[in-house]
Amino acid sequence: MPERAGQQHGPRDLRLVGLRKAFGSAVAVDDLSLTIPAGSFFALLGPSGCGKTTTLRMVAGLEIPTAGQVLLGDEDITRRRPYERPVNTVFQSYALFPHLSVEENVAFGLRRRGRKDVKGVVAEMLALVELAGFGRRRPGQLSGGQQQRVAVARALINEPEVLLLDEPLGALDLKLRRQMQLELKRIQTSVGSTFVHVTHDQEEAMTMADTIAVMNAGLVEQLGSPRELYERPASRYVANFLGQSNCLDGSVVATQGDETLVEVHGVRLLVPGRLGPPGSPASLGVRPEKARALPWDAALPADSAVRDPALRNAIPGTVTDVSFTGLSTQYVVRTAWGEDLGVFSQNAGGEAPVLRGDTVVVAWRPEHTFPLAPASVVAEEAAEQPLPRPAVPPTMAPLGS
Amino acid sequence: MTAVRTAPVTATPPADQPPVPPDRRRVPYLLLLPGLLWLAVFFVVPLFTLVSTSLQTGSLEEGYALTFSWSTYGGVWTTYGRQLLRSFCYAGSATVLALLIGYPLAYAIAFKAQRWRNVMLVLVVAPFFTSFLLRTLAWKIVLADDGWVVGTLQAVGLVSDTGRLLATPAAVVLGLTYNFLPFMVLPLYASLEKMDPLLLEAASDLHATPMTAFRTVTWPLSLPGVVAGTLLTFIPAAGDYVNVQFLGTPTSQMIGNVIESRFLTVLDYPAAAALSITVMAAVLVLVLAYVRRVGARELL
Ligand SMILES: Nc1ncnc2c1ncn2[C@@H]1O[C@H](COP(=O)(O)OP(=O)(O)O)[C@@H](O)[C@H]1O
Ligand SMILES: [Mg+2]
């Protein structure tokens, strides 16, 4: 791979500062601030219409922000022309030039910058995306997956400091998609450019990205590594957008060291962290796969629950649904106050079988509990947002979705 | 197609596919029938008549008889070569002018007009609501010696104080340009309108300046429209005789005027027919050379 053309500086972070874009009265991106470290694989994750494409277009220079700045290192590129930025884009709909061969599509950026000896580099790039031998074809003669790889090659060959990928794998079938995910990740590691990958597929974001920003209605809800976001989602929105969660509302009873005791409809649960003074509202969540559904009598022999940390957080309820998926069994347990809790149990054997109608206890370890922003605050925020939110019910996404 | 792992397989249809029923197979021919009949009656038959007329000899007084003599053709070349050349020059100039005016116009309608798009398209076609003859006559008034166009040009100094526009080649070319401009604009618009504006953003993203993006993306993608537009302008313009009659002079006749007078005034049918066929052949050769040159055969 040749040296990056005309680059006199070291790796530079991409910084978005207070970025905002309004189309008339509709706000597509609202006061977005992000620092994307140089050389990282960064995912912008969010439902359709939350402003992901608009954000990328502002970085590419195809959209002028209403307010805010786009910086590369310390250089302000907010108003630079798209063709003057060290940024290239893989468009959501590819936007391949239909009148040019695959080779000429890929060579386009190099030629515009006056490179003459492009043949070798182009062949190398086509080989990298496994399209060697397709150079003479027109884009119209390729399948969707092949076109997508041409789009990647066409952007990547310029060795941009920042490569923007707008749902580039959306049109691919599952198998090719998995293959391309690994491929892109490999390419990113070997090229070392900063990749900003936009997707609405949480699994894709989790498998590929070093850092994920979960976007919702023009705002970043939470930023972190895939593991952080999954293990410690900060809001119901994130908790349910990345996988599924059981979310519960209650109020603080007492703070015990680094843990807080929260009462939810009379059940006392331990939550890591300090959630505020006694009496203040508190919300918490737990992943279905971290919870177990145990028969009532097995779970509560006198005071063993207090001693066994695996059973420390326990909510009684009735099993209303059991579905066997092979890998796991999914239970829906209705609590005394009518909320449904999900439990995924791996079919590892050993656990006593639980049937529909059984009275059980949903139990989990306190450290698997995550505190959430209180429901009232989230609800107010949601009411202020004019843009659509995903159809996720407040407590739990439907099981097996 | 070479067999490639991920390429869509265009295999022969499976053997057990039911054969197309006979009456289904006839449908395409039935659909072609009206068009073919029309062509046979109004194109093939007249063409034969024309060819056979051109092979007659004789005189108006004695009557013309079919003698299969090609001699008329030789005479036609030597006598009217100048008019033929002039026709192509005028038509060519008008085509270039129409392209220069029509391209920006079509571009603006396709990409910038937004909600005014339909209004502008109607305006482009609006002249067709008046007769061709009336429009050309109107130009006679516009370009008149005491009209405001000549007056303005004289004031600016582009035309000398005694200079005029009417009865000059410029007037004829202007008239041709005006009359055939819609034939240029509409195909150009159709090809530009089909273009995905995202392609220009992609070009810009790939370091193309707006000029380069036009040269490497917009222009090549609009070539089918350019070819169609130039042909639709050039071919009728080359055969036109009305513009010369109203806006030109008898000494600067186009080939259409010659054919018209041979047929309708002099009544020299063989020469007129031979001339018509010569013009047709010449235009055909020019068009083929042009289309081949632009490489638009696969685009059309
Ligand atoms: N050019 C535009 N004009 C008006 N509204 C737009 C435009 N582009 C995007 N929007 C609106 O901005 C919001 C965010 O769009 P977009 O960035 O495309 O979302 P995403 O890529 O996350 O699906 C949407 O509500 C969309 O309707
Ligand atoms: Mg999008």
Side-chain angles (χ1 to χ4, degrees), chain A residues 48-49 52-54 92 166-167 198:
Chain A
S48 190
K52 306 182 298 290
T53 297
T54 308
Q92 193 163 9
D166 193 354
E167 308 206 20
V198 153

Side-chain angles (χ1 to χ4, degrees), chain A residues 211-225:
Chain A
T211 312
I212 300 176
V214 181
M215 279 187 80
N216 181 25
L219 293 163
V220 171
E221 285 257 346
Q222 196 178 352
L223 184 79
S225 70

Side-chain angles (χ1 to χ4, degrees), chain A residues 21-24 26-29 46-57 63 92 166-167 198 200 215 218 387-388:
Chain A
K21 178 73 194 181
F23 296 102
V27 179
V29 174
S48 190
C50 74
K52 306 182 298 290
T53 297
T54 308
T55 306
L56 282 200
R57 288 173 59 83
E63 212 82 73
Q92 193 163 9
D166 193 354
E167 308 206 20
V198 153
H200 63 252
M215 279 187 80
L387 293 172

Side-chain angles (χ1 to χ4, degrees), chain A residues 71-125:
Chain A
L71 300 150
L72 261 180
D74 294 322
E75 189 186 356
D76 186 346
I77 60 167
T78 317
R79 293 187 177 267
R80 270 231 234 146
R81 305 279 181 176
Y83 50 89
E84 293 166 345
R85 299 186 186 209
V87 174
N88 292 107
T89 308
V90 179
F91 289 88
Q92 193 163 9
S93 53
Y94 314 149
L96 299 179
F97 304 120
H99 60 297
L100 297 180
S101 67
V102 167
E103 267 169 358
E104 282 306 313
N105 264 283
V106 175
F108 193 91
L110 293 183
R111 289 204 195 284
R112 299 292 82 76
R113 290 187 304 182
R115 277 279 297 269
K116 291 278 185 285
D117 52 330
V118 297
K119 247 192 140 72
V121 201
V122 169
E124 219 174 283
M125 189 46 79

Side-chain angles (χ1 to χ4, degrees), chain B:
Chain B
M1 192 184 283
T2 49
V4 175
R5 190 165 35 93
T6 41
V9 182
T10 53
T12 49
D16 59 350
Q17 193 173 317
V20 183
D23 48 332
R24 281 276 290 282
R25 254 183 282 161
R26 252 183 259 136
V27 169
Y29 298 103
L30 283 175
L31 289 173
L32 273 177
L33 202 60
L36 285 177
L37 270 177
W38 178 274
L39 272 183
V41 174
F42 295 107
F43 181 71
V44 178
V45 172
L47 192 65
F48 263 101
T49 319
L50 201 63
V51 171
S52 72
T53 308
S54 76
L55 299 180
Q56 292 172 353
T57 47
S59 67
L60 186 59
E61 295 77 29
E62 295 154 18
Y64 298 108
L66 188 59
T67 54
F68 294 102
S69 150
W70 293 88
S71 59
T72 324
Y73 282 87
V76 156
W77 268 120
T78 47
T79 321
Y80 301 113
R82 207 137 52 87
Q83 279 88 341
L84 191 63
L85 202 66
R86 186 181 294 131
S87 293
F88 288 161
C89 282
Y90 285 6
S93 311
T95 305
V96 170
L97 261 182
L99 184 63
L100 290 179
I101 299 168
Y103 202 104
L105 183 57
Y107 189 93
I109 299 176
F111 293 122
K112 309 282 176 199
Q114 299 187 1
R115 63 206 180 86
W116 295 104
R117 178 184 281 202
N118 288 336
V119 175
M120 292 184 73
L121 281 175
V122 169
L123 286 179
V124 166
V125 188
F128 287 141
F129 292 116
T130 346
S131 129
F132 180 63
L133 288 178
L134 278 182
R135 279 183 281 140
T136 313
L137 267 176
W139 268 77
K140 202 170 169 139
I141 299 165
V142 171
L143 299 181
D145 293 342
D146 52 357
W148 63 270
V149 174
V150 173
T152 310
L153 288 178
Q154 281 172 341
V156 180
L158 279 175
V159 169
S160 70
D161 285 347
T162 54
R164 54 187 312 213
L165 276 180
L166 206 59
T168 63
V172 179
V173 170
L174 283 180
L176 288 172
T177 308
Y178 163 75
N179 274 314
F180 296 108
L181 189 60
F183 296 110
M184 179 66 87
V185 173
L186 292 180
L188 280 176
Y189 166 76
S191 71
L192 284 170
E193 193 265 341
K194 265 196 308 202
M195 199 182 102
D196 185 355
L198 195 60
L199 293 178
L200 288 182
E201 295 190 337
S204 183
D205 187 71
L206 292 164
H207 312 294
T209 59
M211 266 313 291
T212 319
F214 177 80
R215 188 170 53 77
T216 53
V217 179
T218 314
W219 176 256
L221 283 174
S222 66
L223 263 190
V226 172
V227 171
T230 46
L231 290 184
L232 285 177
T233 309
F234 180 81
I235 295 171
D240 182 76
Y241 62 93
V242 173
N243 283 280
V244 170
Q245 216 151 52
F246 289 168
L247 309 172
T249 59
T251 53
S252 64
Q253 290 202 321
M254 288 170 70
I255 202 69
N257 304 92
V258 178
I259 296 175
E260 188 231 1
S261 70
R262 289 290 106 184
F263 258 125
L264 302 178
T265 319
V266 187
L267 307 184
D268 182 358
Y269 300 127
L275 209 46
S276 300
I277 288 167
T278 308
V279 172
M280 223 159 75
V283 168
L284 203 65
V285 168
L286 272 183
V287 165
L288 283 180
Y290 168 66
V291 171
R292 178 168 281 235
R293 165 91 218 219
V294 179
R297 276 179 311 166
E298 63 174 319
L299 294 172
L300 277 174

